Amino acid sequence: AMHLTLYELAGYAMAAWLLMAFLPTWRVTRWLAESAVFPVYLSVLYVVGITVVLMDTGPGLLGDFGNVQGVLGVLAREDVALIAWIHILAFDQFVGLWIYRDNMRHRYVPIPLQSVLLFFTLMLGPVGFVSYYLLRAGRRALRERTADASLLAVPDPFAPDEPRTGGQVDAATVPAAFAAATPAGVLDDRIAQMPSPLHAPLQYIARVWLREERAITAVGVLGILLSVLVLVVAAVRGPVVEPEGVLSKAISFDVAFGIYILTVVLFVPLARFPVRGLRRWRGVFVLLGVQGLAIETIQTLRGLDPRFSRVAGPIDNLVALSFLGFAIATMVMFWILAVRFFDQRRPAGEGVLALAIRYAVLASALAFVAGIVMSSVQGRFLGERGNLLTLHALGFHGLQAAPLIAILAVRGRLAESSARRLVHLAGMLWLGACTLVALQTVLGLSIVDVTVASVGAAVLMLGWIGVAGRAFVRARSVVPGPA
């Protein structure tokens, strides 16, 4: 049939997504993007398909889109559904093309993050668009404020030479790793006085948790305490609160989200947010954290599935929708933080840790994808045995795994180049393991099923353990002290 042929032909447009994601700087990719070949190609297929459909049904078909029952009836037809799918493909690719062209010109986000956003646009069109739109708006606002501040800071070329004043602090007197400047160039003295996460990690953690970011830390601790509370309820009442409140899911979510928050907060001082930007980011992040923990815990204790309830009323369905909004907003907030580790030059020493954080961010991207897929399929399984929760957890643990290698490498007094090579090796091993676990899961197989992918993931994880062990032994053999 014509519509089946058109559907198969539309699959060739996948080449554009692959090129934009994996070869974004290639001149062929740039030419395809500028010429918009593939969106035009999909649009032509759509025009052919919709013409055939209208010739078969008449223009009255268009009137059915005016009400719910009409839409459901029209899309129940195989030919219309497949042509509508080509419609979606064409506009998703148009949006992806706009993101690619706009970002390649202005670099609002780094290229690796651009590829992640293109993936979201391919899979969940509006999610990718709104994520890029918000990041783009934030970067444009920051650039405008920085440009305005730079104009104000330009010295008068005809004024006599004299020491520059105006509240600015000489960056040479501040540890480079924590010279978090505002757009006006004024250094935050509190951050400047913080211990180094590389040379004094425990003191750094204590300072961030107990002094600098107490509000965010409190939300992380709240998640762990709520998991203990739900665990007690499960011990008293049993594992399920009827009709569908599975307590083990709330326990795992609360403790995992709490650990995620306590880890992410350690990256905040290193992100060099402007003071006002940090306040806004912190406030939204705290509100989102409280919202997510409250919905997950309260709805589960009420006997409802907080995400995909089959018995909830209109109000609870609205709450479930707000939980989806929480998940998307949390992802966007993470990328607002993460992008600052890709687009800023770092001084020697801090560069090792920033490199590790970049690998951690990429691993976390896979975890976010797994979370989105779990929401899409309304469960944690693909096929019979492919558990997305494994990939979800492994990706987020990259937030701890990659920076740990950087800390051990620096404490082991490795040269800058050697430390970076070690971080690159460890980061690629962890990302490779996550990728193979993702492949195993997509195939609908459990991670314990013996396949090339599962064995490869195990080998890569053993390799990471070997790298971590080597770095740990080196760090233990060196007397602690400033490098």
Side-chain angles (χ1 to χ4, degrees):
M2 173 68 76
H3 57 277
L4 293 175
T5 301
L6 294 174
Y7 174 80
E8 292 175 356
L9 290 174
Y12 293 110
M14 187 66 188
W17 291 104
L18 295 175
L19 289 173
M20 288 190 293
F22 296 107
L23 296 171
T25 60
W26 191 26
R27 61 182 179 180
V28 173
T29 307
R30 289 180 176 271
W31 177 82
L32 288 172
E34 291 300 326
S35 60
V37 169
F38 282 102
V40 172
Y41 167 72
L42 289 170
S43 298
V44 170
L45 295 181
Y46 175 77
V47 169
V48 173
I50 197 63
T51 301
V52 173
V53 169
L54 290 176
M55 289 175 62
D56 182 45
T57 63
L61 174 73
L62 301 177
D64 291 332
F65 287 101
N67 58 81
V68 173
Q69 295 303 321
V71 171
L72 293 175
V74 169
L75 293 180
R77 293 183 44 162
E78 182 181 273
D79 55 347
V80 175
L82 292 180
I83 298 305
W85 178 244
I86 297 175
H87 182 161
I88 294 171
L89 292 180
F91 277 89
D92 279 354
Q93 187 148 124
F94 177 79
V95 173
L97 199 65
W98 175 78
I99 292 173
Y100 171 86
R101 292 166 65 172
D102 185 64
N103 192 60
M104 293 300 290
R105 288 193 184 101
H106 303 289
R107 296 296 172 88
Y108 294 116
V109 301
I111 288 181
L113 179 53
Q114 171 184 291
S115 297
V116 173
L117 293 171
L118 288 173
F119 175 80
F120 286 144
T121 306
L122 169 64
M123 300 302 295
L124 301 164
V127 173
F129 170 73
V130 75
S131 298
Y132 177 72
Y133 179 83
L134 293 174
L135 290 171
R136 178 180 184 269
R139 292 300 299 162
R140 290 184 69 178
L142 178 60
R143 287 179 181 180
E144 289 172 2
R145 289 197 299 270
T146 303
D148 292 343
S150 299
L151 290 174
L152 293 175
V154 173
D156 182 356
F158 299 103
D161 293 337
E162 58 180 288
R164 297 179 64 182
T165 58
Q168 297 200 7
V169 180
D170 183 2
T173 66
V174 180
F178 302 100
T182 67
V186 180
L187 299 177
D188 187 337
D189 292 334
R190 295 177 306 161
I191 303 300
Q193 295 168 3
M194 292 181 69
S196 166
L198 291 170
H199 302 123
L202 295 180
Q203 294 92 320
Y204 173 78
I205 292 172
R207 178 71 178 258
V208 174
W209 282 356
L210 302 179
R211 293 190 59 181
E212 301 301 330
E213 298 297 340
R214 286 177 292 185
I216 300 177
T217 301
V219 178
V221 173
L222 175 64
I224 296 173
L225 292 178
L226 286 175
S227 70
V228 175
L229 172 63
V230 179
L231 182 62
V232 172
V233 173
V236 174
R237 296 192 50 174
V240 177
V241 177
E242 296 296 339
E244 55 183 10
V246 181
L247 296 179
S248 61
K249 292 183 179 180
I251 294 170
S252 61
F253 174 86
D254 288 345
V255 69
F257 191 52
I259 294 173
Y260 164 80
I261 290 174
L262 291 176
T263 302
V264 168
V265 71
L266 299 176
F267 299 161
V268 174
L270 302 174
R272 300 184 178 185
F273 275 113
V275 173
R276 285 182 296 178
L278 174 59
R279 289 172 183 163
R280 287 194 293 265
W281 187 92
R282 180 192 294 132
V284 174
F285 193 79
V286 167
L287 289 175
L288 286 172
V290 172
Q291 176 192 355
L293 291 170
I295 294 175
E296 178 74 27
T297 306
I298 294 173
Q299 293 297 85
T300 302
L301 291 178
R302 292 180 61 221
L304 299 174
D305 187 321
R307 300 170 184 79
F308 314 112
S309 177
R310 301 183 185 277
V311 298
I315 300 299
D316 288 314
N317 283 330
L318 185 61
V319 172
L321 184 62
S322 73
F323 190 87
L324 175 61
F326 146 78
I328 295 173
T330 299
M331 179 182 67
V332 171
M333 294 299 291
F334 176 79
W335 286 114
I336 290 174
L337 173 69
V339 72
R340 304 187 68 81
F341 291 93
F342 284 91
D343 66 349
Q344 295 184 17
R345 294 183 178 180
R346 302 273 168 168
E350 186 185 350
V352 175
L353 184 57
L355 176 64
I357 293 175
R358 290 168 191 164
Y359 277 109
V361 165
L362 295 176
S364 299
L366 292 174
F368 278 118
V369 170
I372 291 173
V373 175
M374 281 192 284
S375 297
S376 301
V377 302
Q378 300 189 7
R380 62 181 64 180
F381 287 95
L382 287 180
E384 295 184 358
R385 294 168 55 80
N387 194 340
L388 287 160
L389 199 58
T390 304
L391 174 62
H392 193 60
L394 190 64
F396 278 131
H397 280 306
L399 292 172
Q400 295 98 27
L404 174 64
I405 300 299
I407 292 172
L408 291 175
V410 172
R411 288 177 67 83
R413 303 286 182 85
L414 289 177
E416 174 84 5
S417 58
S418 298
R420 293 180 70 89
R421 283 196 297 269
L422 200 64
V423 170
H424 274 302
L425 176 60
M428 288 188 288
L429 287 170
W430 195 275
L431 277 177
C434 290
T435 303
L436 291 177
V437 168
L439 175 61
Q440 182 88 343
T441 305
V442 168
L443 294 175
L445 301 174
S446 169
I447 191 61
V448 298
D449 293 336
V450 179
T451 65
V452 174
S454 64
V455 172
V459 170
L460 292 178
M461 287 304 301
L462 288 174
W464 181 88
I465 292 172
V467 171
R470 176 191 171 192
F472 178 75
V473 170
R474 177 63 185 260
R476 287 291 301 272
S477 66
V478 176
V479 177

